Amino acid sequence: MTIDEAVLLLKASQATGLTTLQEIILRSSWEGKTYTNIASEAHLGEEHVRKVAAHLWQVLSDFCKEPINQSNFRQTLENHHLSKAHQQLVKEFNKAATAISLEFPSGPVSLNSRFYIPRPPIEELAYAEMAEPGSVICIKAPKKMGKSSLILRLLAGANSQDFRTVTLNFQQADKAVFASLDKFLRWLCANVSRELQLEPKLNDYWDEDMGSKVSCSIYFQQYLLSALSSPLVLVLNDLDWVFEYQEIAEELLSLIRTWYERAKGVEIWQKLHLVLVYSTEILVSIKLTQSPFNIGLRINLPPFTKEQVQDLAQRHGLDWTNGINVESLMAMVGGYPYLVRLAFYHLVGKGGLEGDLEQLLQQAPTETGIYHEYLRQYVLALRDQPELGNAFYEVINTTNYVKLKPALAYKLQSMGLINLEGDRSTPACELYRLYFRQYLKTSENFNSGCFNCEFRWG
């Protein structure tokens, strides 16, 4: 039995379910934490934690028909399999809960959602790193891989420790902001000020003779960080947009590296905790000693594993314990979180395919499939970028792998369309190969670089 199964069993079997504290005790004890640690992290008295825990061990002892306490909790449960009666209990609980909480997979998975699937040890490493003074976390993954969901949880963890938090999305910046480094850094400082509800005072700290980077650093050190009594977590989202402007990207990345190094010797800079979020490798030429991508914690969000897809199926009330359906779904869409969640939404949702996975997979790469509208956006994007479209067409029509120009490969990877291992490009999943072969055609001039998409939507 896993910890997730134990939590579900207790939620399903008790009329009152599980309280937040009870679940914290279960998961923390599974990780080997002491009552003292748990009480400290939950800001509660140790005796109260012990009392609640004692009740949990008794309930689990009744289920397993043998004595359970904190010291043997994990070992006993790992050697204990759910009985058929308990499996049915969990299955019915998931069905009932899913009927109430089913949500369309759009945007980050909410904090209270039952459909967030952790990818250990990523979350634990990120929480630990964020607590370090002057930390830097770099999160890289293609679109629709769960970056926003992870960030939402990092920010919630920061808020629970009374950190201040600010998120800037470079995609929201006007094109004019990227006209010069000075304009960009002033925009950055003004927006951080606004998010912190501080009056922007750029002119009081900006000095043309010292330059934009020094002025920006002074503004952060002497105004923003000095005004805060607690640490600041600054999330710089969609950093890829800055990569398009080489000069600005070079200067910004070296500036971030400077802030990180200052935190080692200047106490006030230890207040700044940076989270850099991006989808693709950077092609900007920058020295290793000036790059922020080889410091702190680097996180590459991977696709779901078979076990994680099976867990998500269970949370949707689907009985996929034999693994056959999981393998069939992953053979089509891999472990890509959005594609997997969309399938589950339609399999169990009202008016959906009533659990007919075979029908869903047959229709998946067609205009009647559940992914059609989502994939059509990619067709439109590739039509507007002929060189990119040509490169992707080559990938989906090659049986082995293709070696693309780095810029094209990284762009396709950031869109989530290809897997990139070294310099070898392959389609991200079979769905993409089948769909785009059918709905994306090139002209006879393909090899000469002339890309013309013909749409055949029925």
Side-chain angles (χ1 to χ4, degrees):
M1 189 187 309
T2 66
I3 182 59
D4 289 328
E5 287 175 332
V7 168
L8 276 174
L9 178 60
L10 290 174
K11 285 181 177 180
S13 60
Q14 299 188 120
T16 56
L18 267 185
T19 67
T20 301
L21 177 57
Q22 287 175 325
E23 184 166 350
I24 288 173
I25 291 172
L26 284 170
R27 294 187 181 277
S28 297
S29 297
W30 187 272
E31 294 168 4
K33 294 181 180 178
T34 65
Y35 290 133
T36 303
N37 295 145
I38 298 170
S40 176
E41 291 176 3
H43 304 290
L44 293 171
E46 186 173 334
E47 284 306 312
H48 178 62
V49 170
R50 287 180 179 274
K51 183 178 179 180
V52 174
H55 172 70
L56 286 172
W57 308 142
Q58 184 57 55
V59 173
L60 285 170
S61 297
D62 293 340
F63 277 123
C64 297
K65 307 301 182 185
E66 59 180 295
I68 289 180
N69 53 48
Q70 191 188 36
S71 61
N72 70 358
F73 162 57
R74 178 165 182 166
Q75 182 180 0
T76 303
L77 261 64
E78 284 183 330
N79 293 328
H80 186 88
H81 298 288
L82 288 177
S83 66
K84 289 185 178 180
H86 289 157
Q87 289 178 13
Q88 185 63 28
L89 188 65
V90 169
K91 180 180 177 181
E92 294 301 323
F93 172 78
N94 273 324
K95 281 186 176 180
T98 300
I100 297 172
S101 63
L102 188 65
E103 54 196 46
F104 187 79
S106 176
V109 182
S110 61
L111 290 174
N112 60 353
S113 173
R114 60 188 281 102
F115 301 123
Y116 179 77
I117 301 295
R119 282 176 266 194
I122 287 173
E123 286 83 0
E124 287 186 19
L125 291 174
Y127 292 140
E129 181 66 25
M130 193 174 63
E132 292 294 320
S135 62
V136 173
I137 300 175
C138 300
I139 303 175
K140 174 180 172 289
K143 295 179 180 179
K144 299 290 188 180
M145 282 292 288
K147 297 191 297 296
S148 297
S149 299
L150 175 59
I151 292 166
L152 194 62
R153 282 150 183 81
L154 288 178
L155 293 178
N159 288 327
S160 70
Q161 299 179 60
D162 296 323
F163 285 18
R164 299 295 298 274
T165 61
V166 171
T167 300
L168 295 185
N169 192 320
F170 291 120
Q171 193 173 164
Q172 296 175 346
D174 293 342
K175 192 173 182 179
V177 168
F178 299 96
S180 68
L181 177 65
D182 187 72
K183 196 171 186 65
F184 174 81
L185 293 179
R186 287 178 69 92
W187 175 89
L188 175 69
C189 290
N191 276 273
V192 174
S193 303
R194 175 180 54 81
E195 292 292 328
L196 291 172
Q197 298 182 327
L198 295 172
E199 179 186 353
K201 295 184 177 181
L202 276 71
N203 292 335
D204 293 348
Y205 297 88
W206 226 260
D207 189 317
E208 184 177 333
D209 294 330
M210 288 192 297
S212 303
K213 288 166 66 177
V214 173
S215 297
C216 180
S217 295
I218 291 174
Y219 188 81
F220 263 81
Q221 179 173 334
Q222 297 185 9
Y223 182 49
L224 296 179
L225 297 177
S226 295
L228 302 178
S229 58
S230 57
L232 167 65
V233 175
L234 175 58
V235 179
L236 301 180
N237 210 345
D238 280 324
L239 198 56
D240 312 72
W241 282 70
V242 185
F243 296 171
E244 299 293 328
Y245 303 87
Q246 183 167 342
E247 181 182 346
I248 293 176
E250 287 179 10
E251 301 290 3
L252 174 64
L253 296 177
S254 65
L255 181 61
I256 290 172
R257 176 65 179 253
T258 299
W259 291 348
Y260 172 80
E261 292 178 346
R262 283 188 182 182
K264 295 178 181 178
V266 183
E267 186 176 353
I268 195 168
W269 281 100
Q270 295 177 7
K271 285 185 179 181
L272 183 62
H273 303 249
L274 287 164
V275 181
L276 313 180
V277 188
Y278 53 106
S279 298
T280 185
E281 296 290 349
I282 180 172
L283 292 177
V284 174
S285 176
I286 185 170
K287 296 179 180 178
L288 286 176
T289 55
Q290 296 178 332
S291 172
F293 299 128
N294 57 359
I295 57 177
L297 175 66
R298 295 189 63 181
I299 295 175
N300 290 316
L301 282 181
F304 286 157
T305 63
K306 178 181 176 181
E307 292 73 22
Q308 288 166 337
V309 173
Q310 195 159 350
D311 181 9
L312 189 56
Q314 184 181 41
R315 297 184 190 207
H316 280 80
L318 295 169
D319 184 12
W320 284 16
T321 51
N322 62 13
I324 296 175
N325 287 335
V326 171
E327 292 174 359
S328 296
L329 178 60
M330 294 186 73
M332 178 62 73
V333 303
Y336 287 89
Y338 174 77
L339 302 179
V340 171
R341 281 199 64 200
L342 190 62
F344 288 150
Y345 176 84
H346 283 276
L347 287 172
V348 303
K350 184 178 180 181
L353 297 177
E354 299 178 354
D356 191 344
L357 177 63
E358 184 178 355
Q359 180 185 353
L360 185 148
L361 294 178
Q362 286 178 349
Q363 295 177 352
T366 72
E367 63 187 31
T368 60
I370 64 172
Y371 302 109
H372 173 62
E373 288 302 321
Y374 172 66
L375 296 177
R376 184 172 180 272
Q377 297 173 25
Y378 282 118
V379 177
L380 296 173
L382 293 171
R383 182 189 64 181
D384 292 338
Q385 302 179 70
E387 189 177 13
L388 199 63
N390 275 330
F392 185 56
Y393 191 81
E394 186 178 357
V395 173
I396 62 175
N397 281 283
T398 302
T399 55
N400 198 354
Y401 62 85
V402 175
K403 293 184 178 181
L404 301 174
K405 293 179 181 177
L408 296 174
Y410 291 149
K411 181 65 175 177
L412 289 170
Q413 183 191 38
S414 74
M415 295 170 71
L417 289 174
I418 68 169
N419 290 323
L420 192 58
E421 295 184 11
D423 58 357
R424 300 181 175 187
S425 300
T426 56
C429 60
E430 187 64 13
L431 171 68
Y432 293 169
R433 185 193 300 274
L434 296 175
Y435 180 90
F436 289 109
R437 273 182 176 177
Q438 184 174 1
Y439 290 105
L440 189 63
K441 298 197 306 180
T442 58
S443 69
E444 294 178 359
N445 296 321
F446 166 74
N447 289 326
S448 65
C450 177
F451 183 86
N452 294 310
C453 296
E454 296 181 14
F455 297 92
R456 298 184 290 117
W457 312 118

